[in-house]
Amino acid sequence: MSALDAIAPPPSPTAEPTGEAGLGPWAAAWRRLRRNPSGIVGAVVVGLFVLVAVLAPLLAPYQPATGEWFGEVTPTAVPGPSADHVLGLDSFGSDLLTQLLYGARSSLVIGVVSTAVGLAVGAVLGILAGGLGGWVDTLVMRIVDILLSIPSLLLAVSVAAVLGRGQWSIMLAISAAQVPIFARLLRASLLAQRGQDYVVALRSLGLRQRRIVVGHMLPNSLGPVLVQATLVLATAVIEVAALSFLGLGAADPAVAEWGRMLVTAQDRLEQAPQLALYPGLAIAVTALGFTLLGEALREALDPRSDR
């Protein structure tokens, strides 16, 4: 056996009965993912959500929050579906379909950016704790434990209240709540890799700890983190709506947000229940799509899942 064979990470086991012998771990995971019905449903929902968010200016029939038809809204009635407005108007005389489409764009941008920031900061803390160990591990994990002791939504609300209203405040607030989750998960994955044969062989060859952690242990520890990032996106969509519902969203009323739509619908529930029904369904379906896709990814990346 050559030196390269000695330091190579052990291949992930694959299930022989499913015909996955000879496939690499990522190819086998992709094959399992394609066979998962819930994963396909989740991928379709997420794909539609992304398409709607990206193509909102092309799909929306009007500009958001124009209030152009405010004169048609009365204290006792809100116009429903019509030829000009497929879903009707909202309480401020704007097209409801346009508000929903632009609300998807707002949720996607905030969810993706906040998750990316939380993943980046959490990954740094996880690498420091799991890769270096010792007093660094103890210090980082005590900070993470303090953050984990605070409910995520409460932490996000506190950060957003301190920073003030705005989309950037919501992004930082949600990412702050996600940092300890990613940090602890990556640390656990790195600790599981430290005792592997290839890591021991790398140390015996005299490689530096930094190169071992970044070049070899980290790539083999990213699977659970990527799965968690997909699941966290579902939580991020809900938290974006929650913070907007609490009045911590964008200060500009022209920015469409699903949470704000729920707030403005409270006084009109008896007259026009669709004002709360449509954004509520959009939040629920989007979060469900990310959850189904994340669970399917978790099963696909687990080589022991033989179905």
Side-chain angles (χ1 to χ4, degrees):
M1 181 174 62
S2 63
L4 291 177
D5 295 331
I7 64 174
S12 300
T14 54
E16 292 288 345
T18 58
E20 295 176 356
L23 295 177
W26 291 103
W30 170 245
R31 185 170 184 174
R32 285 192 291 267
L33 181 62
R34 289 185 302 173
R35 296 177 177 178
N36 192 327
S38 61
I40 296 175
V41 173
V44 170
V45 172
V46 171
L48 289 176
F49 170 66
V50 173
L51 284 177
V52 167
V54 173
L55 301 178
L58 300 178
L59 298 176
Y62 306 99
Q63 291 297 316
T66 58
E68 184 177 350
W69 302 275
F70 185 71
E72 301 181 20
V73 180
T74 65
T76 58
V78 178
S82 64
D84 295 329
H85 309 285
V86 178
L87 299 181
L89 301 177
D90 63 7
S91 302
F92 299 101
S94 300
D95 183 70
L96 185 56
L97 176 60
T98 300
Q99 295 294 99
L100 286 173
L101 294 177
Y102 276 90
R105 162 172 281 199
S106 177
S107 297
L108 176 65
V109 171
I110 296 176
V112 171
V113 172
S114 60
T115 301
V117 173
L119 175 59
V121 178
V124 172
L125 295 178
I127 292 172
L128 291 175
L132 299 180
W135 67 270
V136 177
D137 183 16
T138 302
L139 177 61
V140 171
M141 283 300 101
R142 296 300 75 79
I143 297 175
V144 169
D145 290 339
I146 294 174
L147 294 176
L148 285 175
S149 66
I150 307 173
S152 60
L153 184 57
L154 178 59
L155 178 60
V157 169
S158 302
V159 174
V162 171
L163 297 177
R165 297 181 60 184
Q167 288 188 322
W168 283 106
S169 298
I170 294 182
M171 292 177 191
L172 294 177
I174 296 176
S175 62
Q178 295 174 358
V179 166
I181 300 174
F182 289 117
R184 181 172 286 277
L185 182 60
L186 185 55
R187 170 186 177 268
S189 298
L190 288 172
L191 290 179
Q193 294 289 327
R194 292 177 68 175
Q196 296 292 331
D197 293 339
Y198 77 94
V199 176
V200 176
L202 288 169
R203 288 176 182 156
S204 65
L205 292 175
L207 269 71
R208 293 183 177 181
Q209 181 69 9
R210 181 178 62 181
R211 183 176 177 183
I212 296 175
V213 172
V214 177
H216 300 275
M217 294 174 60
L218 183 59
N220 290 295
S221 304
L222 289 178
V225 179
L226 295 178
V227 173
Q228 185 64 33
T230 307
L231 294 173
V232 162
L233 278 171
T235 307
V237 171
I238 298 175
E239 290 181 347
V240 169
L243 293 176
S244 299
F245 184 84
L246 295 174
L248 298 173
D252 186 2
V255 178
E257 294 177 341
W258 288 341
R260 182 184 295 166
M261 295 175 67
L262 292 176
V263 174
T264 58
Q266 291 183 93
D267 299 332
R268 301 277 188 168
L269 288 179
E270 294 184 1
Q271 306 164 6
Q274 73 273 9
L275 297 182
L277 177 62
Y278 292 138
L281 282 177
I283 295 170
V285 171
T286 303
L288 178 62
F290 279 112
T291 301
L292 290 176
L293 181 59
E295 290 294 333
L297 282 174
R298 181 186 60 79
E299 295 179 2
L301 290 173
D302 184 2
R304 295 169 298 180
S305 62
D306 178 13
R307 297 182 299 169

